[in-house]
Amino acid sequence: MNNLFKAAFIIAGKDLYSEWKTKQVVTTMLIFSGLVIVTFSFAFDPSNNAVRAIIPGLIWVITIFSAILGLNRSFLSETKNDNLYGMIVSPTDPSSIYLGKVIANFVFVLIVQLISIPVLFLLFDFRFLGNLPMFLVVILLGTFGFISVGTFLAGLTANSKSSEMLLPILLFPIVSPLIIAAVQATRILLVDFEQLASAISWMQLMGAYNLVFFVLCLILFEYVLEV
């Protein structure tokens, strides 16, 4: 178990260091997030209270599509110089490759969220009056579940010539329950505080989804690498 986590952190550290040097993935994700926020801030009147109801959806639009940009590149860099093949034939547990990629992708998306969500609130003049700890838990649960499944499918489609098109087609139907739960829980915590019990139910659903799919992806990733 220690070797599993040690190898996973080494792989994640490699990806994070590579991104620190190139700044390609996070920069692309931030540019997309900025375009979405600016476009919607000019399309709608931020002073209109009804417009604020779209903010929960915007948070997850930014998260989903910026994450897709990062996931598409997650294994692309590994396939160029047959680095992925080197990982496969190495004595490293295949599960550590998956875990390392999940950690790196999760960090990338968190960085984007850390910058884009405050900017979204600022441009829409939105005052956060909800439960901040619960809001952060919803963000973390939704992001982790999306990245867990997305990283698995990114590995599955890595050797496909049309991987950038194939990944969203496979990913969106699978993560739809998670995204619905995340948007509903975020909406309640930001706009409709009286239904806090419903938000907790949605969070429980997200937690169960994450547990089931993360374990499945961790077990099955070994067979994905053989495809």
Side-chain angles (χ1 to χ4, degrees):
M1 185 62 71
N2 289 335
N3 290 335
L4 173 69
F5 285 106
K6 183 179 179 181
F9 282 120
I10 290 172
I11 293 169
K14 173 189 72 70
D15 286 355
L16 293 171
Y17 179 71
S18 176
E19 178 59 22
W20 175 259
K21 289 177 64 178
T22 61
K23 297 178 176 65
Q24 291 181 348
V25 176
V26 173
T27 302
T28 306
M29 294 162 72
L30 284 172
I31 290 172
F32 172 82
S33 302
L35 284 172
V36 171
I37 294 169
V38 171
T39 300
F40 277 89
S41 67
F42 280 99
F44 299 100
D45 181 11
S47 62
N48 188 343
N49 288 330
V51 171
R52 299 184 182 187
I54 70 171
I55 289 179
L58 276 178
I59 290 173
W60 290 105
V61 166
I62 292 167
T63 299
I64 292 166
F65 288 100
S66 60
I68 286 287
L69 293 174
L71 289 169
N72 273 323
R73 302 179 69 91
S74 181
F75 287 91
L76 188 62
S77 58
E78 308 292 357
T79 56
K80 283 184 178 179
N81 300 316
D82 288 334
N83 293 344
L84 187 59
Y85 179 74
M87 290 181 180
I88 295 171
V89 299
S90 70
T92 305
D93 191 326
S95 298
S96 63
I97 300 174
Y98 168 74
L99 193 57
K101 290 293 183 180
V102 167
I103 294 170
N105 290 329
F106 187 60
V107 171
F108 294 154
V109 177
L110 284 183
I111 292 171
V112 174
Q113 289 174 327
L114 190 63
I115 297 171
S116 60
I117 293 177
V119 172
L120 176 65
F121 287 172
L122 184 64
L123 288 181
F124 275 83
D125 194 23
F126 183 83
R127 293 182 63 189
F128 184 86
L129 301 174
N131 189 314
L132 182 59
M134 288 185 68
F135 174 72
L136 293 177
V137 169
V138 169
I139 295 295
L140 292 174
L141 283 173
T143 304
F144 180 77
F146 188 85
I147 292 300
S148 297
V149 179
T151 302
F152 177 81
L153 294 177
L156 181 64
T157 61
N159 293 320
S160 172
K161 292 181 180 179
S162 56
S163 59
E164 293 184 359
M165 181 183 69
L166 192 59
L167 176 60
I169 293 173
L170 294 174
L171 180 59
F172 287 144
I174 298 175
V175 297
S176 292
L178 178 70
I179 298 305
I180 292 170
V183 172
Q184 290 295 331
T186 307
R187 179 187 61 80
I188 292 168
L189 293 173
L190 294 183
V191 180
D192 196 2
F193 316 114
E194 289 141 3
Q195 299 183 13
L196 199 58
S198 297
I200 294 172
S201 297
W202 287 115
M203 291 167 66
Q204 290 172 342
L205 174 62
M206 294 165 68
Y209 178 98
N210 288 357
L211 180 63
V212 170
F213 277 88
F214 177 70
V215 171
L216 281 175
C217 292
L218 193 66
I219 295 171
L220 297 176
F221 193 76
E222 178 180 358
Y223 305 100
V224 165
L225 294 178
E226 298 174 358
V227 175

